[in-house]
Amino acid sequence: MRRVKALILGGGQGKRLFPLTRDRSKPAVPIAGKYRLIDISLSNCINSNIRNIFVLTQFNSASLNHHINHTYRFDYFTQTFVEILAAEQTIQNREWFQGTADAVKKNINHLNLEDNDDVLILSGDHLYKMDYHEIIAFHREKNADFTVSTVIIPAHIIEEFGIIKLDKQMRLSEFKEKPSRKEMPKSMSLCGEWKEKFNLDKDKDFYLASMGVYVFKADVLKKILAYTSAVDFGMQVIPEAIKRYKAYGFIFDGYWRDIGTIKSFYEENIALTEVNPKFDFFSEERKVFTHPRFLPPAKIIDSQIVNSLITEGCLIQGAHIEKSVIGLRSVINKKVTLKESIVMGADYYERESSRGIIPLGIGEGSVLERVIVDKNARIGKRVVIKNLEGIKHFDSENYYIRDGIVIIPKNALIPDSTQI
């Protein structure tokens, strides 16, 4: 799309996704067995014919930078690119990014913006498919200084989002970042006319939440960032800017989910095993791209697989797998039972001569239920991981528990006959 430059924010630490973010940034976290979260936003851009894309990185960025550099390569004879803008210290500024707006401000000169450009700002950790043509066309039709994309949410989750109020002309008049339900004025909920338009229950309250997708006129973005000390778009910049600039809200009516916590990450992955998941990786029209790999097909011997995703290069023998996601190069041995679990697989195949006492993969006779197994983990024989005591939150050297979900971190080793 002409005169549009996309900027994907990929520098956040992702504390709520720990320990999956212990060794990688949040946008680099694997999803659906073979993709990474950053692939969603990048694929949306490519499918929307936006080919001038910058990715801001900072925290634990090595694996994210590697993935982008080895995946999104375009030819040398067009102006198409995906460029990484890593956090840097300069003579003028020796601080790292302090927030989303601060990250953009510190890199604004690298974007080579012209005043008639539009800047599309995206998050690198959301699950959705969106044609950005629609919001940009809306933005230009309204002659907006900036536009915020929104989704409709029920009242009970407003504390997790920035809440927006629009007038009948879609002008943005009010913005509250993660308000409590007690302080939220009834006037910000959707009126009956809008409930009817979007087929919502007229007896329940619904609100418009920011998706973290913004379109700015380039000259407006530069002015806003030049004259503010604010560091975050949602908490500071947007609420202040709507008082001085012409801001509009675009309503996105597709499926969207913020993958910000272990619970949401787990639920979204397991939901992909359903017959008709709300997010579909199988669409021919809007493909999700990722790093191409030259792996053999999955080899499944004498096993029972029920409603699961099995990716390339797996070796599964004599196992029962139910409603689970099995990532690249996973090795699952005889008499293993997996239920509602996510196994991220391995970055490499282990040679026979280099195997330790416990090889990569899941050992014979082990049982895992509601577990996330990060990459390159070694789980011994006859291990039982089922959160037997129903613990909600726990930290250990070899495993963690969040919202009752057990997480085996990257490169962990779980000895034979361990019970968790």
Side-chain angles (χ1 to χ4, degrees):
M1 184 183 292
R2 294 181 60 190
R3 295 181 25 240
V4 176
K5 291 184 177 178
L7 189 58
I8 302 177
L9 305 174
Q13 184 174 349
K15 292 181 180 179
R16 295 183 300 161
L17 266 179
F18 181 87
L20 300 182
T21 52
R22 186 189 68 181
D23 303 304
R24 58 170 78 88
S25 64
K26 185 159 58 167
V29 172
I31 188 168
K34 63 176 291 180
Y35 304 94
R36 295 186 186 247
L37 285 174
I38 192 71
D39 291 328
I40 306 301
S41 296
L42 283 168
S43 297
N44 282 338
C45 286
I46 293 170
N47 289 323
S48 301
N49 201 32
I50 297 173
R51 302 300 175 91
N52 295 169
I53 308 166
F54 298 90
V55 182
L56 297 182
T57 67
Q58 177 172 268
F59 182 81
N60 265 346
S61 60
S63 64
L64 179 60
N65 294 347
H66 181 272
H67 175 72
I68 293 171
N69 283 330
H70 286 77
T71 304
Y72 297 95
R73 295 180 175 180
F74 302 109
D75 68 73
Y76 295 101
F77 305 103
T78 67
Q79 295 182 338
T80 298
F81 62 82
V82 176
E83 183 174 333
I84 294 171
L85 297 177
E88 60 180 357
Q89 291 181 322
T90 65
I91 293 175
Q92 292 79 20
N93 196 312
R94 296 187 177 276
E95 293 183 344
W96 300 115
F97 301 154
Q98 302 302 304
T100 53
D102 185 59
V104 176
K105 184 176 184 177
K106 286 185 169 117
N107 284 279
I108 197 78
N109 291 333
H110 296 313
L111 305 185
N112 299 316
L113 295 175
E114 298 181 12
D115 285 348
N116 63 346
D117 285 340
D118 286 314
V119 183
L120 176 67
I121 299 177
L122 309 168
S123 296
D125 53 4
H126 294 163
L127 186 65
Y128 67 114
K129 288 186 179 181
M130 185 176 185
D131 185 350
Y132 297 134
H133 282 99
E134 296 176 2
I135 185 174
I136 291 167
F138 173 90
H139 170 78
R140 291 174 176 173
E141 178 187 334
K142 296 291 186 181
N143 193 29
D145 289 328
F146 67 90
T147 300
V148 179
S149 188
T150 69
V151 289
I152 298 171
I153 62 168
H156 70 273
I157 60 171
I158 62 172
E159 295 179 0
E160 301 175 24
F161 301 98
I163 304 301
I164 286 172
K165 182 178 179 180
L166 303 178
D167 63 21
K168 291 185 178 180
Q169 286 72 45
M170 309 297 284
R171 186 82 180 256
L172 203 163
S173 60
E174 200 169 348
F175 188 106
K176 291 184 180 294
E177 179 69 9
K178 299 181 179 178
S180 69
R181 293 185 67 180
K182 291 181 180 179
E183 70 180 30
M184 175 56 63
K186 183 78 171 178
S187 60
M188 288 191 71
S189 65
L190 294 185
C191 64
E193 182 181 340
W194 284 32
K195 289 181 183 179
E196 184 177 350
K197 179 179 179 180
F198 292 100
N199 296 317
L200 303 173
D201 189 333
K202 64 180 181 180
D203 297 323
K204 295 182 179 179
D205 288 335
F206 295 90
Y207 294 84
L208 291 173
S210 170
M211 294 172 58
V213 172
Y214 314 114
V215 183
F216 284 85
K217 287 182 177 178
D219 60 333
V220 171
L221 179 63
K222 288 188 284 187
K223 287 177 185 176
I224 290 174
L225 296 179
Y227 296 104
T228 183
S229 58
V231 298
D232 187 83
F233 277 112
M235 296 186 69
Q236 299 163 317
V237 172
I238 300 298
E240 286 300 315
I242 62 176
K243 300 173 184 176
R244 295 183 288 118
Y245 293 93
K246 191 163 64 170
Y248 284 83
F250 173 83
I251 300 178
F252 174 65
D253 60 358
Y255 183 74
W256 175 87
R257 187 76 184 269
D258 179 5
I259 308 295
T261 65
I262 290 293
K263 182 180 180 182
S264 62
F265 172 82
Y266 172 82
E267 289 176 348
E268 289 305 306
N269 271 275
I270 297 303
L272 294 172
T273 67
E274 296 174 0
V275 176
N276 296 303
K278 293 179 180 178
F279 186 89
D280 184 11
F281 278 98
F282 290 84
S283 171
E284 278 294 320
E285 294 180 358
R286 304 195 66 78
K287 294 179 181 178
V288 179
F289 302 99
T290 192
H291 179 56
R293 301 172 179 88
F294 300 97
L295 290 174
K299 188 173 185 179
I300 303 171
I301 302 171
D302 193 24
S303 298
Q304 184 178 19
I305 312 293
V306 182
N307 292 13
S308 297
L309 300 181
I310 312 294
T311 57
E312 308 102 294
C314 294
L315 178 57
I316 301 170
Q317 185 172 2
H320 177 91
I321 299 173
E322 186 175 335
K323 208 172 184 182
S324 296
V325 177
I326 310 301
L328 300 161
R329 305 181 189 87
S330 292
V331 177
I332 301 173
N333 290 289
K334 295 178 181 179
K335 299 180 181 179
V336 167
T337 298
L338 294 177
K339 292 185 178 179
E340 297 185 346
S341 293
I342 303 164
V343 180
M344 293 186 179
D347 291 318
Y348 56 91
Y349 287 117
E350 194 170 33
R351 295 181 181 178
E352 193 77 34
S353 58
S354 63
R355 289 181 182 173
I357 298 174
I358 300 177
L360 283 174
I362 302 176
E364 184 175 335
S366 292
V367 178
L368 280 67
E369 292 186 16
R370 289 180 58 81
V371 180
I372 300 173
V373 182
D374 207 335
K375 286 191 172 184
N376 307 329
R378 301 170 184 269
I379 297 178
K381 299 178 180 179
R382 301 175 301 280
V383 171
V384 177
I385 306 177
K386 299 173 66 173
N387 192 2
L388 299 170
E389 298 180 7
I391 298 170
K392 288 293 183 182
H393 190 100
F394 185 77
D395 286 5
S396 176
E397 182 178 352
N398 284 333
Y399 69 94
Y400 300 82
I401 300 176
R402 297 290 187 273
D403 292 309
I405 302 158
V406 181
I407 306 106
I408 307 299
K410 189 175 182 180
N411 300 316
L413 188 152
I414 308 295
D416 293 349
S417 303
T418 298
Q419 293 195 359
I420 298 174

